[in-house]
Amino acid sequence: MTLTHSAPPRRHPSGAPARRSGRPSPALFSRRLSPRGLLWLAPAVLILLSFVYWPLVQNFAFSMTEWDVYTGTQEFVGLENFSRLATDPVFQRSLLNNLLYAGLSLIFQVAGALLLAVVIESRRSERLRRALRAIYFVPSAISLTVAGLLFYFIYEPKLGMLNHLLEAVNLGALAQPWLGQESTAMLGIIMMSQWQGFGYSTLLFAVAIQRIPRELYEAAEIDGIGPVRQFFTITVPLVREMSGLMVIVTISGAFQVFNEVMVMTSGGPNNSTQVLGTWLYHNGFSRNDFGYAAAIATVIFVVTISIGLVQMWYTKRRRVQW
């Protein structure tokens, strides 16, 4: 028979057993900061510096020049390009279009997607829930270019499905060239984008709702709390982190819109559907004004990073654990 002896527990000098500290030991910190670990991190750091941070610095430097990319001539103009932004009516219209895009996206892809996810996850049949998730996710699997072309033909004034549908229900007076007039063109593009991305947001919220313990809802039902109050007192607080993430992604995406506009209107009619991305493209590649285009890119970066940092700070402060 073999006897094994376990080491006696370490004791404090006073005789009491020593407690395990929740803090990592200094040796662990030294191991994390060892030269070998830094060596493994070096490739990733170099890639980030080379392809993310250095281009940002270069872009800011270019924004203070008047640069003709075809002749290679550059002239330092300081903040003149940024002062031009303040007096450029098309830039101001583009910024307003991006803000409108962000506002409607928050309504549909955050608030609307959360409501739809709640409705789907409240179904008792697992098969039905899976079918609904798949049905609503299908548009998200279509590329933006294909979706843009699809809606371009739907909005076509003579042969498009939308005007024919309005005439079929005796609403032919509402039929109009949706992408051919300034009052409806931007809204038409935004609606296409919401249709394309709505299912993806719904699926993410559905995953977040699935993580909520079912005992909370069962206890609420026992206490006589209805579905509406359950939504505001249980669902909304416990999906706050996902909501914060979706707000960041939605607003950042709204300020980086490009494909939808280029495919459907190219910024027309009369620059009414220009957004910051397309106005940057027109100035850089059509007008050969890369310094001004770099200034627009700097504005896009500052707006998106500022919104992201504020939202991350707010979400971290109000994080919920269960």
Side-chain angles (χ1 to χ4, degrees):
M1 181 181 293
T2 304
L3 298 178
T4 59
H5 299 277
S6 59
R10 295 191 307 172
R11 293 183 174 273
H12 192 269
S14 63
R19 293 184 178 181
R20 289 182 176 270
S21 173
R23 299 179 180 178
S25 63
L28 181 59
F29 280 111
S30 62
R31 193 177 305 146
R32 288 178 179 175
L33 299 177
S34 64
R36 181 177 297 179
L38 295 176
L39 183 63
W40 284 102
L41 287 175
V45 173
L46 289 176
I47 291 175
L48 282 174
L49 291 175
S50 302
F51 296 100
V52 178
Y53 297 106
W54 176 242
L56 290 175
V57 174
Q58 280 188 313
N59 180 80
F60 182 72
F62 293 150
S63 68
M64 294 187 289
T65 64
E66 186 176 334
W67 180 19
D68 186 337
V69 71
Y70 298 112
T71 62
T73 58
Q74 293 186 16
E75 179 183 353
F76 181 78
V77 294
L79 299 177
E80 180 181 333
N81 288 323
F82 293 96
S83 63
R84 285 175 57 191
L85 293 176
T87 58
D88 183 355
V90 180
F91 170 79
Q92 296 170 6
R93 181 67 178 267
S94 302
L95 183 58
L96 289 175
N97 285 338
N98 280 107
L99 291 173
L100 176 64
Y101 199 106
L104 293 179
S105 296
L106 289 176
I107 294 173
F108 284 97
Q109 297 194 31
V110 179
L114 176 57
L115 289 173
L116 180 59
V118 170
V119 172
I120 292 175
E121 295 305 315
S122 64
R123 304 300 92 188
R124 296 187 179 275
S125 172
E126 176 63 24
R127 182 176 298 178
L128 178 60
R129 292 199 299 269
R130 291 180 179 177
L132 290 174
R133 294 188 206 117
I135 290 171
Y136 284 106
F137 183 74
V138 166
S140 301
I142 303 175
S143 71
L144 282 173
T145 303
V146 174
L149 289 173
L150 173 65
F151 272 77
Y152 178 84
F153 291 111
I154 290 176
Y155 290 141
E156 210 279 332
K158 294 184 178 179
L159 303 176
M161 184 180 69
L162 180 56
N163 283 346
H164 279 286
L165 180 62
L166 291 174
E167 293 174 358
V169 295
N170 295 324
L171 293 176
L174 298 178
Q176 52 193 300
W178 299 97
L179 298 179
Q181 56 188 12
E182 298 181 22
S183 58
T184 58
M186 192 65 210
L187 289 176
I189 295 174
I190 294 175
M191 289 302 103
M192 181 280 298
S193 179
Q194 304 314 306
W195 173 84
Q196 199 269 343
F198 189 70
Y200 180 74
S201 303
T202 301
L203 186 63
L204 291 180
F205 276 118
V207 172
I209 293 173
Q210 292 171 13
R211 294 178 60 241
I212 301 176
R214 305 307 304 173
E215 294 83 359
L216 298 178
Y217 292 102
E218 294 172 359
E221 291 177 358
I222 294 174
D223 291 339
I225 298 176
V228 175
R229 189 175 174 188
Q230 289 181 28
F231 173 76
F232 287 104
T233 58
I234 299 176
T235 306
V236 172
L238 295 183
V239 298
R240 184 178 291 128
E241 291 188 37
M242 179 59 71
S243 301
L245 174 63
M246 290 307 302
V247 168
I248 294 173
V249 172
T250 301
I251 296 179
S252 299
F255 279 90
Q256 298 174 25
V257 173
F258 180 79
N259 288 351
E260 302 95 308
V261 178
M262 290 299 294
V263 169
M264 299 180 72
T265 63
S266 296
N270 195 25
N271 289 322
S272 62
T273 60
Q274 291 284 5
V275 290
L276 294 179
T278 57
W279 191 231
L280 181 156
Y281 175 85
H282 282 299
N283 281 278
F285 296 96
S286 298
R287 298 183 173 184
N288 191 24
D289 194 352
F290 275 84
Y292 190 59
I296 299 174
T298 302
V299 171
I300 297 175
F301 170 74
V302 171
V303 171
T304 53
I305 197 66
S306 300
I307 294 174
L309 290 175
V310 171
Q311 184 62 36
M312 290 175 63
W313 169 80
Y314 177 78
T315 305
K316 184 177 180 180
R317 285 190 59 196
R318 300 179 64 86
R319 181 171 297 172
V320 177
Q321 296 180 353
W322 63 87

PDB file of all heavy atoms in Angstrom, residues 2 20 22 56 67 83 91 97 99 106 113 116 133-134 136 144 146 169 212 215 255 261 268 288-289 292 302 311 319:
ATOM      1  N   THR A   2       0.545   2.170  -0.846  1.00  0.00           N
ATOM      2  CA  THR A   2       1.337   3.397  -0.965  1.00  0.00           C
ATOM      3  C   THR A   2       0.571   4.530  -0.327  1.00  0.00           C
ATOM      4  O   THR A   2      -0.614   4.732  -0.614  1.00  0.00           O
ATOM      5  CB  THR A   2       1.599   3.733  -2.429  1.00  0.00           C
ATOM      6  OG1 THR A   2       2.237   2.619  -3.041  1.00  0.00           O
ATOM      7  CG2 THR A   2       2.474   4.968  -2.541  1.00  0.00           C
ATOM      8  N   ARG A  20      -5.822  32.925   0.364  1.00  0.00           N
ATOM      9  CA  ARG A  20      -5.376  33.128  -1.015  1.00  0.00           C
ATOM     10  C   ARG A  20      -5.776  34.525  -1.457  1.00  0.00           C
ATOM     11  O   ARG A  20      -6.928  34.907  -1.332  1.00  0.00           O
ATOM     12  CB  ARG A  20      -6.001  32.097  -1.958  1.00  0.00           C
ATOM     13  CG  ARG A  20      -5.449  30.693  -1.756  1.00  0.00           C
ATOM     14  CD  ARG A  20      -6.096  29.742  -2.758  1.00  0.00           C
ATOM     15  NE  ARG A  20      -5.527  28.425  -2.637  1.00  0.00           N
ATOM     16  CZ  ARG A  20      -4.481  28.007  -3.319  1.00  0.00           C
ATOM     17  NH1 ARG A  20      -3.888  28.836  -4.135  1.00  0.00           N
ATOM     18  NH2 ARG A  20      -4.027  26.779  -3.171  1.00  0.00           N
ATOM     19  N   GLY A  22      -6.802  37.455  -3.963  1.00  0.00           N
ATOM     20  CA  GLY A  22      -7.464  37.552  -5.261  1.00  0.00           C
ATOM     21  C   GLY A  22      -6.617  38.264  -6.287  1.00  0.00           C
ATOM     22  O   GLY A  22      -6.900  38.221  -7.469  1.00  0.00           O
ATOM     23  N   LEU A  56      -3.646  57.035 -40.564  1.00  0.00           N
ATOM     24  CA  LEU A  56      -4.414  58.120 -39.956  1.00  0.00           C
ATOM     25  C   LEU A  56      -3.569  59.383 -39.840  1.00  0.00           C
ATOM     26  O   LEU A  56      -4.032  60.497 -40.116  1.00  0.00           O
ATOM     27  CB  LEU A  56      -4.918  57.689 -38.572  1.00  0.00           C
ATOM     28  CG  LEU A  56      -6.013  56.625 -38.551  1.00  0.00           C
ATOM     29  CD1 LEU A  56      -6.313  56.219 -37.120  1.00  0.00           C
ATOM     30  CD2 LEU A  56      -7.279  57.135 -39.225  1.00  0.00           C
ATOM     31  N   TRP A  67      -3.133  69.005 -52.891  1.00  0.00           N
ATOM     32  CA  TRP A  67      -2.379  67.902 -53.484  1.00  0.00           C
ATOM     33  C   TRP A  67      -2.992  67.507 -54.821  1.00  0.00           C
ATOM     34  O   TRP A  67      -4.165  67.145 -54.898  1.00  0.00           O
ATOM     35  CB  TRP A  67      -2.374  66.722 -52.506  1.00  0.00           C
ATOM     36  CG  TRP A  67      -1.644  65.508 -52.980  1.00  0.00           C
ATOM     37  CD1 TRP A  67      -0.714  65.430 -53.957  1.00  0.00           C
ATOM     38  CD2 TRP A  67      -1.806  64.187 -52.468  1.00  0.00           C
ATOM     39  NE1 TRP A  67      -0.258  64.160 -54.103  1.00  0.00           N
ATOM     40  CE2 TRP A  67      -0.916  63.359 -53.190  1.00  0.00           C
ATOM     41  CE3 TRP A  67      -2.602  63.625 -51.483  1.00  0.00           C
ATOM     42  CZ2 TRP A  67      -0.814  61.995 -52.950  1.00  0.00           C
ATOM     43  CZ3 TRP A  67      -2.496  62.267 -51.236  1.00  0.00           C
ATOM     44  CH2 TRP A  67      -1.616  61.460 -51.961  1.00  0.00           C
ATOM     45  N   SER A  83     -11.455  75.029 -43.207  1.00  0.00           N
ATOM     46  CA  SER A  83     -12.291  76.233 -43.284  1.00  0.00           C
ATOM     47  C   SER A  83     -13.226  76.168 -44.484  1.00  0.00           C
ATOM     48  O   SER A  83     -14.338  76.702 -44.461  1.00  0.00           O
ATOM     49  CB  SER A  83     -11.411  77.481 -43.356  1.00  0.00           C
ATOM     50  OG  SER A  83     -10.616  77.467 -44.534  1.00  0.00           O
ATOM     51  N   PHE A  91     -21.076  69.791 -48.507  1.00  0.00           N
ATOM     52  CA  PHE A  91     -20.584  69.098 -47.309  1.00  0.00           C
ATOM     53  C   PHE A  91     -21.620  69.169 -46.200  1.00  0.00           C
ATOM     54  O   PHE A  91     -21.869  68.174 -45.500  1.00  0.00           O
ATOM     55  CB  PHE A  91     -19.271  69.728 -46.850  1.00  0.00           C
ATOM     56  CG  PHE A  91     -18.817  69.230 -45.506  1.00  0.00           C
ATOM     57  CD1 PHE A  91     -18.185  68.000 -45.372  1.00  0.00           C
ATOM     58  CD2 PHE A  91     -19.035  69.991 -44.359  1.00  0.00           C
ATOM     59  CE1 PHE A  91     -17.780  67.542 -44.124  1.00  0.00           C
ATOM     60  CE2 PHE A  91     -18.631  69.536 -43.118  1.00  0.00           C
ATOM     61  CZ  PHE A  91     -18.003  68.314 -42.997  1.00  0.00           C
ATOM     62  N   ASN A  97     -27.380  64.479 -44.213  1.00  0.00           N
ATOM     63  CA  ASN A  97     -27.854  63.189 -44.692  1.00  0.00           C
ATOM     64  C   ASN A  97     -27.313  62.052 -43.830  1.00  0.00           C
ATOM     65  O   ASN A  97     -28.028  61.086 -43.540  1.00  0.00           O
ATOM     66  CB  ASN A  97     -27.444  62.984 -46.149  1.00  0.00           C
ATOM     67  CG  ASN A  97     -28.289  63.797 -47.107  1.00  0.00           C
ATOM     68  OD1 ASN A  97     -29.406  64.190 -46.786  1.00  0.00           O
ATOM     69  ND2 ASN A  97     -27.756  64.069 -48.289  1.00  0.00           N
ATOM     70  N   LEU A  99     -26.504  62.314 -40.663  1.00  0.00           N
ATOM     71  CA  LEU A  99     -27.214  62.394 -39.390  1.00  0.00           C
ATOM     72  C   LEU A  99     -28.622  61.806 -39.516  1.00  0.00           C
ATOM     73  O   LEU A  99     -29.090  61.090 -38.620  1.00  0.00           O
ATOM     74  CB  LEU A  99     -27.281  63.847 -38.918  1.00  0.00           C
ATOM     75  CG  LEU A  99     -25.955  64.474 -38.482  1.00  0.00           C
ATOM     76  CD1 LEU A  99     -26.128  65.966 -38.205  1.00  0.00           C
ATOM     77  CD2 LEU A  99     -25.408  63.770 -37.240  1.00  0.00           C
ATOM     78  N   LEU A 106     -31.000  54.124 -35.981  1.00  0.00           N
ATOM     79  CA  LEU A 106     -31.197  53.825 -34.559  1.00  0.00           C
ATOM     80  C   LEU A 106     -32.635  53.387 -34.288  1.00  0.00           C
ATOM     81  O   LEU A 106     -32.883  52.499 -33.469  1.00  0.00           O
ATOM     82  CB  LEU A 106     -30.852  55.052 -33.715  1.00  0.00           C
ATOM     83  CG  LEU A 106     -29.371  55.418 -33.622  1.00  0.00           C
ATOM     84  CD1 LEU A 106     -29.188  56.709 -32.840  1.00  0.00           C
ATOM     85  CD2 LEU A 106     -28.574  54.296 -32.954  1.00  0.00           C
ATOM     86  N   ALA A 113     -35.363  46.488 -34.103  1.00  0.00           N
ATOM     87  CA  ALA A 113     -34.809  45.136 -34.078  1.00  0.00           C
ATOM     88  C   ALA A 113     -34.973  44.486 -32.699  1.00  0.00           C
ATOM     89  O   ALA A 113     -35.228  43.283 -32.591  1.00  0.00           O
ATOM     90  CB  ALA A 113     -33.339  45.174 -34.467  1.00  0.00           C
ATOM     91  N   LEU A 116     -38.618  43.343 -32.413  1.00  0.00           N
ATOM     92  CA  LEU A 116     -38.861  42.150 -33.216  1.00  0.00           C
ATOM     93  C   LEU A 116     -38.215  40.924 -32.584  1.00  0.00           C
ATOM     94  O   LEU A 116     -38.799  39.825 -32.585  1.00  0.00           O
ATOM     95  CB  LEU A 116     -38.334  42.354 -34.634  1.00  0.00           C
ATOM     96  CG  LEU A 116     -38.518  41.170 -35.591  1.00  0.00           C
ATOM     97  CD1 LEU A 116     -39.994  40.823 -35.734  1.00  0.00           C
ATOM     98  CD2 LEU A 116     -37.904  41.485 -36.952  1.00  0.00           C
ATOM     99  N   ARG A 133     -36.105  33.523 -37.374  1.00  0.00           N
ATOM    100  CA  ARG A 133     -34.745  34.090 -37.403  1.00  0.00           C
ATOM    101  C   ARG A 133     -34.147  33.963 -38.800  1.00  0.00           C
ATOM    102  O   ARG A 133     -33.508  34.901 -39.306  1.00  0.00           O
ATOM    103  CB  ARG A 133     -33.852  33.374 -36.394  1.00  0.00           C
ATOM    104  CG  ARG A 133     -34.234  33.590 -34.947  1.00  0.00           C
ATOM    105  CD  ARG A 133     -33.177  32.998 -34.021  1.00  0.00           C
ATOM    106  NE  ARG A 133     -33.751  32.641 -32.733  1.00  0.00           N
ATOM    107  CZ  ARG A 133     -33.803  31.412 -32.247  1.00  0.00           C
ATOM    108  NH1 ARG A 133     -33.290  30.404 -32.932  1.00  0.00           N
ATOM    109  NH2 ARG A 133     -34.331  31.175 -31.059  1.00  0.00           N
ATOM    110  N   ALA A 134     -34.330  32.807 -39.431  1.00  0.00           N
ATOM    111  CA  ALA A 134     -33.771  32.599 -40.774  1.00  0.00           C
ATOM    112  C   ALA A 134     -34.423  33.524 -41.794  1.00  0.00           C
ATOM    113  O   ALA A 134     -33.751  34.097 -42.651  1.00  0.00           O
ATOM    114  CB  ALA A 134     -33.946  31.142 -41.182  1.00  0.00           C
ATOM    115  N   TYR A 136     -35.878  36.477 -41.369  1.00  0.00           N
ATOM    116  CA  TYR A 136     -35.482  37.878 -41.231  1.00  0.00           C
ATOM    117  C   TYR A 136     -33.997  38.092 -41.505  1.00  0.00           C
ATOM    118  O   TYR A 136     -33.584  39.222 -41.795  1.00  0.00           O
ATOM    119  CB  TYR A 136     -35.830  38.378 -39.826  1.00  0.00           C
ATOM    120  CG  TYR A 136     -37.301  38.662 -39.638  1.00  0.00           C
ATOM    121  CD1 TYR A 136     -38.106  37.812 -38.900  1.00  0.00           C
ATOM    122  CD2 TYR A 136     -37.890  39.772 -40.237  1.00  0.00           C
ATOM    123  CE1 TYR A 136     -39.465  38.062 -38.743  1.00  0.00           C
ATOM    124  CE2 TYR A 136     -39.240  40.032 -40.095  1.00  0.00           C
ATOM    125  CZ  TYR A 136     -40.020  39.169 -39.339  1.00  0.00           C
ATOM    126  OH  TYR A 136     -41.358  39.414 -39.198  1.00  0.00           O
ATOM    127  N   LEU A 144     -24.631  44.641 -50.342  1.00  0.00           N
ATOM    128  CA  LEU A 144     -25.216  45.969 -50.484  1.00  0.00           C
ATOM    129  C   LEU A 144     -25.373  46.373 -51.936  1.00  0.00           C
ATOM    130  O   LEU A 144     -26.343  47.042 -52.315  1.00  0.00           O
ATOM    131  CB  LEU A 144     -24.348  46.993 -49.745  1.00  0.00           C
ATOM    132  CG  LEU A 144     -24.505  47.044 -48.227  1.00  0.00           C
ATOM    133  CD1 LEU A 144     -23.466  47.970 -47.626  1.00  0.00           C
ATOM    134  CD2 LEU A 144     -25.909  47.503 -47.854  1.00  0.00           C
ATOM    135  N   VAL A 146     -25.939  44.393 -54.570  1.00  0.00           N
ATOM    136  CA  VAL A 146     -27.088  43.684 -55.140  1.00  0.00           C
ATOM    137  C   VAL A 146     -28.390  44.265 -54.595  1.00  0.00           C
ATOM    138  O   VAL A 146     -29.354  44.469 -55.338  1.00  0.00           O
ATOM    139  CB  VAL A 146     -26.984  42.179 -54.838  1.00  0.00           C
ATOM    140  CG1 VAL A 146     -28.241  41.450 -55.293  1.00  0.00           C
ATOM    141  CG2 VAL A 146     -25.755  41.591 -55.510  1.00  0.00           C
ATOM    142  N   VAL A 169     -53.679  49.236 -55.422  1.00  0.00           N
ATOM    143  CA  VAL A 169     -54.515  49.463 -54.235  1.00  0.00           C
ATOM    144  C   VAL A 169     -55.165  50.841 -54.293  1.00  0.00           C
ATOM    145  O   VAL A 169     -55.521  51.400 -53.261  1.00  0.00           O
ATOM    146  CB  VAL A 169     -53.680  49.298 -52.944  1.00  0.00           C
ATOM    147  CG1 VAL A 169     -53.198  47.870 -52.793  1.00  0.00           C
ATOM    148  CG2 VAL A 169     -52.505  50.272 -52.924  1.00  0.00           C
ATOM    149  N   ILE A 212     -30.572  35.702 -21.173  1.00  0.00           N
ATOM    150  CA  ILE A 212     -31.254  36.132 -19.952  1.00  0.00           C
ATOM    151  C   ILE A 212     -31.866  34.907 -19.273  1.00  0.00           C
ATOM    152  O   ILE A 212     -32.579  34.130 -19.913  1.00  0.00           O
ATOM    153  CB  ILE A 212     -32.350  37.168 -20.276  1.00  0.00           C
ATOM    154  CG1 ILE A 212     -31.741  38.400 -20.960  1.00  0.00           C
ATOM    155  CG2 ILE A 212     -33.108  37.569 -19.017  1.00  0.00           C
ATOM    156  CD1 ILE A 212     -32.765  39.420 -21.396  1.00  0.00           C
ATOM    157  N   GLU A 215     -35.708  32.181 -15.446  1.00  0.00           N
ATOM    158  CA  GLU A 215     -36.331  32.274 -14.120  1.00  0.00           C
ATOM    159  C   GLU A 215     -36.816  33.682 -13.824  1.00  0.00           C
ATOM    160  O   GLU A 215     -37.796  33.867 -13.087  1.00  0.00           O
ATOM    161  CB  GLU A 215     -35.330  31.837 -13.038  1.00  0.00           C
ATOM    162  CG  GLU A 215     -34.942  30.372 -13.094  1.00  0.00           C
ATOM    163  CD  GLU A 215     -33.847  30.101 -14.110  1.00  0.00           C
ATOM    164  OE1 GLU A 215     -33.418  31.073 -14.781  1.00  0.00           O
ATOM    165  OE2 GLU A 215     -33.435  28.925 -14.232  1.00  0.00           O
ATOM    166  N   PHE A 255     -22.110  56.792 -40.730  1.00  0.00           N
ATOM    167  CA  PHE A 255     -21.167  57.802 -41.188  1.00  0.00           C
ATOM    168  C   PHE A 255     -20.151  57.238 -42.184  1.00  0.00           C
ATOM    169  O   PHE A 255     -19.271  57.958 -42.629  1.00  0.00           O
ATOM    170  CB  PHE A 255     -20.448  58.429 -39.995  1.00  0.00           C
ATOM    171  CG  PHE A 255     -21.252  59.489 -39.311  1.00  0.00           C
ATOM    172  CD1 PHE A 255     -22.096  59.171 -38.268  1.00  0.00           C
ATOM    173  CD2 PHE A 255     -21.188  60.809 -39.726  1.00  0.00           C
ATOM    174  CE1 PHE A 255     -22.857  60.144 -37.635  1.00  0.00           C
ATOM    175  CE2 PHE A 255     -21.940  61.784 -39.116  1.00  0.00           C
ATOM    176  CZ  PHE A 255     -22.784  61.449 -38.060  1.00  0.00           C
ATOM    177  N   VAL A 261     -25.397  54.567 -51.834  1.00  0.00           N
ATOM    178  CA  VAL A 261     -25.605  55.827 -52.558  1.00  0.00           C
ATOM    179  C   VAL A 261     -24.997  55.752 -53.955  1.00  0.00           C
ATOM    180  O   VAL A 261     -25.613  56.174 -54.945  1.00  0.00           O
ATOM    181  CB  VAL A 261     -25.015  57.006 -51.761  1.00  0.00           C
ATOM    182  CG1 VAL A 261     -25.190  58.315 -52.530  1.00  0.00           C
ATOM    183  CG2 VAL A 261     -25.684  57.104 -50.391  1.00  0.00           C
ATOM    184  N   GLY A 268     -26.888  62.078 -56.643  1.00  0.00           N
ATOM    185  CA  GLY A 268     -27.923  62.933 -57.212  1.00  0.00           C
ATOM    186  C   GLY A 268     -29.283  62.621 -56.632  1.00  0.00           C
ATOM    187  O   GLY A 268     -29.417  61.758 -55.770  1.00  0.00           O
ATOM    188  N   ASN A 288      -9.914  65.636 -58.348  1.00  0.00           N
ATOM    189  CA  ASN A 288      -8.468  65.616 -58.081  1.00  0.00           C
ATOM    190  C   ASN A 288      -8.090  66.596 -56.965  1.00  0.00           C
ATOM    191  O   ASN A 288      -7.067  67.265 -57.024  1.00  0.00           O
ATOM    192  CB  ASN A 288      -7.688  65.939 -59.364  1.00  0.00           C
ATOM    193  CG  ASN A 288      -6.199  65.673 -59.212  1.00  0.00           C
ATOM    194  OD1 ASN A 288      -5.776  64.864 -58.367  1.00  0.00           O
ATOM    195  ND2 ASN A 288      -5.379  66.354 -60.003  1.00  0.00           N
ATOM    196  N   ASP A 289      -8.911  66.674 -55.947  1.00  0.00           N
ATOM    197  CA  ASP A 289      -8.661  67.555 -54.795  1.00  0.00           C
ATOM    198  C   ASP A 289      -8.470  66.674 -53.563  1.00  0.00           C
ATOM    199  O   ASP A 289      -9.328  66.606 -52.679  1.00  0.00           O
ATOM    200  CB  ASP A 289      -9.834  68.523 -54.605  1.00  0.00           C
ATOM    201  CG  ASP A 289      -9.486  69.671 -53.660  1.00  0.00           C
ATOM    202  OD1 ASP A 289      -8.402  69.627 -53.042  1.00  0.00           O
ATOM    203  OD2 ASP A 289     -10.303  70.600 -53.540  1.00  0.00           O
ATOM    204  N   TYR A 292      -8.567  68.222 -49.897  1.00  0.00           N
ATOM    205  CA  TYR A 292      -9.913  68.471 -49.380  1.00  0.00           C
ATOM    206  C   TYR A 292     -10.598  67.152 -49.026  1.00  0.00           C
ATOM    207  O   TYR A 292     -11.310  67.061 -48.017  1.00  0.00           O
ATOM    208  CB  TYR A 292     -10.720  69.231 -50.425  1.00  0.00           C
ATOM    209  CG  TYR A 292     -12.040  69.757 -49.925  1.00  0.00           C
ATOM    210  CD1 TYR A 292     -12.098  70.634 -48.849  1.00  0.00           C
ATOM    211  CD2 TYR A 292     -13.228  69.374 -50.533  1.00  0.00           C
ATOM    212  CE1 TYR A 292     -13.317  71.121 -48.397  1.00  0.00           C
ATOM    213  CE2 TYR A 292     -14.446  69.860 -50.087  1.00  0.00           C
ATOM    214  CZ  TYR A 292     -14.482  70.728 -49.012  1.00  0.00           C
ATOM    215  OH  TYR A 292     -15.686  71.212 -48.553  1.00  0.00           O
ATOM    216  N   VAL A 302     -13.055  61.633 -36.831  1.00  0.00           N
ATOM    217  CA  VAL A 302     -13.270  62.294 -35.537  1.00  0.00           C
ATOM    218  C   VAL A 302     -14.690  62.053 -35.031  1.00  0.00           C
ATOM    219  O   VAL A 302     -14.905  61.755 -33.845  1.00  0.00           O
ATOM    220  CB  VAL A 302     -12.973  63.806 -35.661  1.00  0.00           C
ATOM    221  CG1 VAL A 302     -13.405  64.542 -34.396  1.00  0.00           C
ATOM    222  CG2 VAL A 302     -11.498  64.032 -35.917  1.00  0.00           C
ATOM    223  N   GLN A 311     -20.019  56.260 -26.210  1.00  0.00           N
ATOM    224  CA  GLN A 311     -20.941  55.158 -25.999  1.00  0.00           C
ATOM    225  C   GLN A 311     -20.288  54.036 -25.190  1.00  0.00           C
ATOM    226  O   GLN A 311     -20.934  53.423 -24.327  1.00  0.00           O
ATOM    227  CB  GLN A 311     -21.435  54.626 -27.343  1.00  0.00           C
ATOM    228  CG  GLN A 311     -22.485  53.541 -27.221  1.00  0.00           C
ATOM    229  CD  GLN A 311     -23.730  54.037 -26.538  1.00  0.00           C
ATOM    230  OE1 GLN A 311     -24.138  55.165 -26.716  1.00  0.00           O
ATOM    231  NE2 GLN A 311     -24.360  53.177 -25.735  1.00  0.00           N
ATOM    232  N   ARG A 319     -22.961  48.799 -16.874  1.00  0.00           N
ATOM    233  CA  ARG A 319     -22.922  47.371 -17.174  1.00  0.00           C
ATOM    234  C   ARG A 319     -23.719  46.597 -16.133  1.00  0.00           C
ATOM    235  O   ARG A 319     -23.664  46.871 -14.943  1.00  0.00           O
ATOM    236  CB  ARG A 319     -21.478  46.890 -17.201  1.00  0.00           C
ATOM    237  CG  ARG A 319     -21.313  45.422 -17.522  1.00  0.00           C
ATOM    238  CD  ARG A 319     -19.860  45.092 -17.753  1.00  0.00           C
ATOM    239  NE  ARG A 319     -19.341  45.828 -18.909  1.00  0.00           N
ATOM    240  CZ  ARG A 319     -18.058  45.843 -19.253  1.00  0.00           C
ATOM    241  NH1 ARG A 319     -17.163  45.209 -18.513  1.00  0.00           N
ATOM    242  NH2 ARG A 319     -17.676  46.507 -20.312  1.00  0.00           N
TER     243      ARG A 319
END
